Amino acid sequence: MNQPQAFDVIAVDTLLERARALREQGFRLVQISATQLPDQVELTYSFDRDSRLTNLRLNLPNGARLPSISGVFGCAVLYENEVHDLFGVPVDGLAIDFKGNFYKTAVKFPFGSTKAPCAAPAAGAPAPCAVEEVKK
Amino acid sequence: MAYFKMSWLALKWALKKPATSPYPFVPRRLLAGSRGKLSFTKDGCVYCNVCAKKCPTHAIVVNRANKKWAIDRLRCIACGYCVEACPKDSLTLKPEHGAPTITRDREIH
Amino acid sequence: MARTVIPFGPQHPVLPEPVHLDLVVEDERVVEARPSIGFIHRGLEKLAEKKDYVEFTYVAERICGICSFIHSQTYCQAVETLMNVPVPPRALYLRTIWGEMSRIHSHLLWLGLMADGMGFESLFMHSWRIREQLLDIIEATTGGRVIFGSCKVGGVRRDIDDETASGILKELDEIEKDMREIARVFLEDKSVKARLCGIGTLSKQEAYELGCVGPMLRASGVAQDMRTLGYAAFGDIAVEPVTRTEGDSYARSTVRCQELFQSVSIIRQAFAKMPAGEIAVKVTGNPTGETITRTEQPRGEVVYHLKANGTKNLQRFRVRTPTFANLPAMLKVLPGCDLADVPMIVLTIDPCISCTER
């Protein structure tokens, strides 16, 4: 039932090359997932062929730019916009750039920090960070 | 052909009793396993606080010193975790759903 | 020709949930569709940092109100993989049975919405009448109508005894008979065919490359079904993916209607093969490691990416839901169609927006 899972760690500049090679072999993009670690964002690209997963892993320092693979896999656009809107990772070369309006969140980049985005609001009071956002 | 099938289906159901029930006049049929209202029986409770700890929504508050058990009905999701955890079987999930809660106050027993 | 932008949604009669499309139209023909989602982004993935991994089963189940059970099942499967929990076989069979019941009720809900969307009101009533019978079975066995709450890490929380099982099988025969009746009416009706055949066509190649999942992909001729991975009891129960080759809206509807009967047959097989024994094991400790778990939801493949670091809270909980994967295909098939066909095409994707945004 459980497939063996390997996460193939690659460098950022080889991402496009690897993605192109996978596409030529007939893989489909399953998902792109990001995890915020204290000083870096860890990205996982999962590809599938004949129900078997191949995972690529990228470690991106905070603030570094991510090359888009939307030119290779068209459906990556949504995942990359999601990574940008939730984690604040700037993505280069997006086929369709929503410019941060893909998700309508009260807080900008809500997942982009290891701390909780909002402190627990006092009873009856609006969430403090939502108010700050409006003031800007 | 499909027109006849649909007409036949419509005719069949026109002659049958309605599948719905006249709700406010006839109460809904209770299903034995349904997770409805959480009920608390005071006898036997040792105020051990296990239900409050197990509650995923923190709806239950137990005060051991004053021997009080309280529940915020608006938070309760009727998951039945407290019922499984209770060592004295003081808690049960009744199949009926009970009257709606209209105040934010905790229900204190 | 002058172009007009027509907003579609977030509130629209055919959409039960908010998604917004900006349709660029020339005359009556759509030339471009621009989506925007995020109206109901709840940040459930971030909540994993506050709720411990046992409590989080409930949150995972509430990601969606329709495919709820399979969400909790996938979550539990992922945590069990991380912690190497040997789940008792009876629990796996019960999960399979409930999972298939939730598939039937989701497909019947979709059939009703579809019929309602095209103005076939009586079929809408019939399909929801049948769904109600199934919801009663679900409520009697799990305690909830759509939020089952019966899955937990290490197994399931309720058992189905033999007497109840034979009662369910008898009711299932009735339900199957009724479903055959309405599925035949729906699929053979001339106006339904006129409304669905040949619109929103997606070729096999496009469907695969755009990363479609579920009935959307199978209707285009790709036999992909995550149940063939053999999770839960699917190792013992063979599943042959239902496929069509046309790739249009009618093919997608046919696939879903046929899956209703496939699920009924899976439930029968599962009851016949279900072993006796325990329904849950005690789970202690905290998860560590990382896993990607996939299961088949009514709308297609769902991907759970879990990362744990040995504390009681998960470090990362990420869900890629089927509708999210089907959105690019929706944007691909909309250009070129008539404005009046847009609701039908959107409905054949069976959009589940609260899943998509989590």
Side-chain angles (χ1 to χ4, degrees):
Chain A
M1 180 188 119
N2 296 324
Q3 295 179 345
Q5 286 175 351
F7 296 92
D8 197 354
V9 181
I10 59 164
V12 180
D13 45 358
T14 57
L15 174 66
L16 272 170
E17 197 183 306
R18 290 293 295 265
R20 248 181 235 119
L22 284 168
R23 192 197 151 107
E24 271 158 29
Q25 290 163 35
F27 278 85
R28 107 189 131 85
L29 179 68
V30 172
Q31 62 126 10
I32 301 174
S33 143
T35 309
Q36 180 71 51
L37 301 177
D39 51 349
Q40 59 187 8
V41 181
E42 185 186 79
L43 289 144
T44 311
Y45 290 69
S46 306
F47 301 89
D48 166 277
R49 190 178 65 181
D50 305 326
S51 302
R52 296 199 71 83
L53 279 179
T54 299
N55 301 307
L56 299 183
R57 162 72 40 94
L58 275 184
N59 285 313
L60 209 63
N62 278 346
R65 302 188 77 83
L66 177 73
S68 166
I69 60 162
S70 55
V72 187
F73 290 95
C75 55
V77 166
L78 297 186
Y79 300 110
E80 283 168 352
N81 273 298
E82 186 187 61
V83 168
H84 172 262
D85 286 10
L86 298 183
F87 291 87
V89 176
V91 187
D92 286 330
L94 272 170
I96 307 168
D97 194 349
F98 285 84
K99 300 196 165 52
N101 295 315
F102 187 57
Y103 280 106
K104 290 162 192 61
T105 50
V107 186
K108 229 171 164 45
F109 314 136
F111 293 8
S113 121
T114 44
K115 277 182 246 134
C118 292
C129 41
V131 177
E132 278 167 26
E133 201 58 30
V134 174
K135 273 182 199 158
K136 275 177 204 167
Chain B
M1 271 312 282
Y3 286 116
F4 293 115
K5 274 180 202 125
M6 189 64 225
S7 321
W8 183 75
L9 198 66
L11 193 69
K12 189 176 95 179
W13 280 92
L15 297 175
K16 272 193 187 179
K17 273 205 296 188
T20 51
S21 67
Y23 168 64
F25 309 108
V26 180
R28 185 173 176 246
R29 184 168 62 100
L30 288 179
L31 296 162
S34 183
R35 294 196 311 266
K37 194 172 184 176
L38 179 69
S39 78
F40 171 72
T41 34
K42 220 172 164 59
D43 350 312
C45 179
V46 290
Y47 304 95
C48 62
N49 210 20
V50 168
C51 51
K53 272 199 190 124
K54 286 279 177 185
C55 181
T57 57
H58 311 294
I60 302 176
V61 178
V62 179
N63 189 329
R64 192 179 292 177
N66 300 345
K67 293 208 181 303
K68 290 282 178 207
W69 183 93
I71 182 169
D72 185 347
R73 290 279 175 202
L74 293 174
R75 277 177 165 246
C76 177
I77 55 170
C79 63
Y81 232 55
C82 49
V83 179
E84 280 173 22
C86 183
K88 295 283 174 190
D89 297 328
S90 295
L91 293 166
T92 37
L93 271 181
K94 295 256 170 74
E96 61 263 32
H97 289 237
T101 309
I102 45 170
T103 57
R104 287 195 156 271
D105 306 335
R106 283 212 179 91
E107 199 180 299
I108 301 169
H109 292 278
Chain C
M1 192 178 284
R3 291 188 169 188
T4 323
V5 179
I6 295 188
F8 181 87
Q11 292 293 323
H12 191 277
V14 305
L15 293 172
E17 292 176 286
V19 61
H20 176 83
L21 291 171
D22 273 324
L23 300 170
V24 182
V25 293
E26 252 176 24
D27 202 5
E28 281 280 298
R29 199 154 286 271
V30 178
V31 287
E32 199 194 336
R34 291 191 292 249
S36 70
I37 62 168
F39 295 94
I40 41 172
H41 175 74
R42 294 159 287 168
L44 290 182
E45 293 179 348
K46 193 80 178 165
L47 200 59
E49 293 166 15
K50 278 193 179 166
K51 296 265 174 201
D52 72 38
Y53 75 96
V54 177
E55 285 176 352
F56 206 74
T57 316
Y58 296 101
V59 181
E61 184 149 29
R62 280 160 179 78
I63 287 176
C64 177
I66 301 300
C67 18
S68 55
F69 182 78
I70 304 189
H71 269 302
S72 62
Q73 180 188 353
T74 319
Y75 173 77
C76 291
Q77 249 172 249
V79 175
E80 284 152 9
T81 312
L82 288 180
M83 301 177 75
N84 282 323
V85 179
V87 185
R90 191 177 175 86
L92 292 178
Y93 272 85
L94 286 168
R95 281 181 189 178
T96 310
I97 290 165
W98 283 322
E100 290 312 304
M101 280 184 187
S102 87
R103 190 181 314 277
I104 299 177
H105 105 70
S106 166
H107 280 359
L108 282 173
L109 177 112
W110 164 83
L111 182 62
L113 290 177
M114 189 76 194
D116 183 50
M118 63 172 72
F120 201 159
E121 294 293 334
S122 57
L123 192 83
F124 158 65
M125 295 290 179
H126 278 297
S127 89
W128 281 33
R129 168 181 61 80
I130 301 169
R131 178 170 174 261
E132 209 58 36
Q133 294 173 355
L134 194 79
L135 289 182
D136 278 353
I137 298 182
I138 293 171
E139 188 175 350
T141 52
T142 67
R145 276 160 58 86
V146 288
I147 300 288
F148 296 15
S150 54
C151 207
K152 71 171 179 186
V153 177
V156 290
R157 294 176 58 204
R158 288 200 188 190
D159 201 354
I160 300 181
D161 59 41
D162 291 343
E163 199 185 329
T164 323
S166 60
I168 292 172
L169 286 171
K170 238 178 250 151
E171 275 188 70
L172 214 57
D173 288 341
E174 287 291 305
I175 291 173
E176 194 191 8
K177 218 177 84 198
D178 283 359
M179 288 198 305
R180 279 206 193 281
E181 236 169 15
I182 62 159
R184 208 165 55 190
V185 167
F186 181 74
L187 293 175
E188 289 178 12
D189 194 276
K190 221 167 108 185
S191 26
V192 171
K193 278 187 182 167
R195 195 83 177 84
L196 297 178
C197 281
I199 71 155
T201 311
L202 197 66
S203 73
K204 187 175 177 177
Q205 184 70 18
E206 283 170 345
Y208 187 76
E209 281 181 2
L210 288 169
C212 286
V213 292
M216 187 96 181
L217 184 61
R218 293 197 282 275
S220 293
V222 183
Q224 190 208 60
D225 190 323
M226 285 306 130
R227 285 177 285 179
T228 53
L229 285 179
Y231 67 87
F234 290 112
D236 304 334
I237 300 168
V239 181
E240 185 62 36
V242 179
T243 54
R244 301 280 293 182
T245 48
E246 298 88 347
D248 59 358
S249 299
Y250 186 72
R252 294 196 272 277
S253 309
T254 319
V255 166
R256 288 205 180 87
C257 287
Q258 286 176 355
E259 280 184 3
L260 288 172
F261 308 113
Q262 186 191 33
S263 295
V264 172
S265 122
I266 291 172
I267 295 177
R268 286 211 188 97
Q269 289 178 48
F271 270 126
K273 288 184 184 169
M274 188 156 70
E278 286 292 304
I279 54 162
V281 288
K282 205 169 157 51
V283 178
T284 47
N286 290 326
T288 37
E290 193 170 359
T291 183
I292 294 180
T293 304
R294 296 188 290 170
T295 57
E296 186 75 13
Q297 277 198 337
R299 291 164 182 81
E301 166 204 51
V302 64
V303 184
Y304 270 57
H305 177 197
L306 258 62
K307 199 173 157 75
N309 53 4
T311 56
K312 69 182 182 16
N313 295 34
L314 294 170
Q315 194 177 12
R316 174 77 168 129
F317 167 76
R318 192 255 196 279
V319 190
R320 198 297 319 271
T321 51
T323 310
F324 197 89
N326 280 335
L327 278 180
M330 182 169 89
L331 305 179
K332 172 83 186 169
V333 296
L334 284 178
C337 75
D338 281 338
L339 183 61
D341 287 336
V342 172
M344 284 298 104
I345 295 176
V346 171
L347 274 180
T348 54
I349 284 152
D350 197 1
C352 182
I353 306 304
S354 53
C355 264
T356 310
E357 297 172 12
R358 308 165 305 276

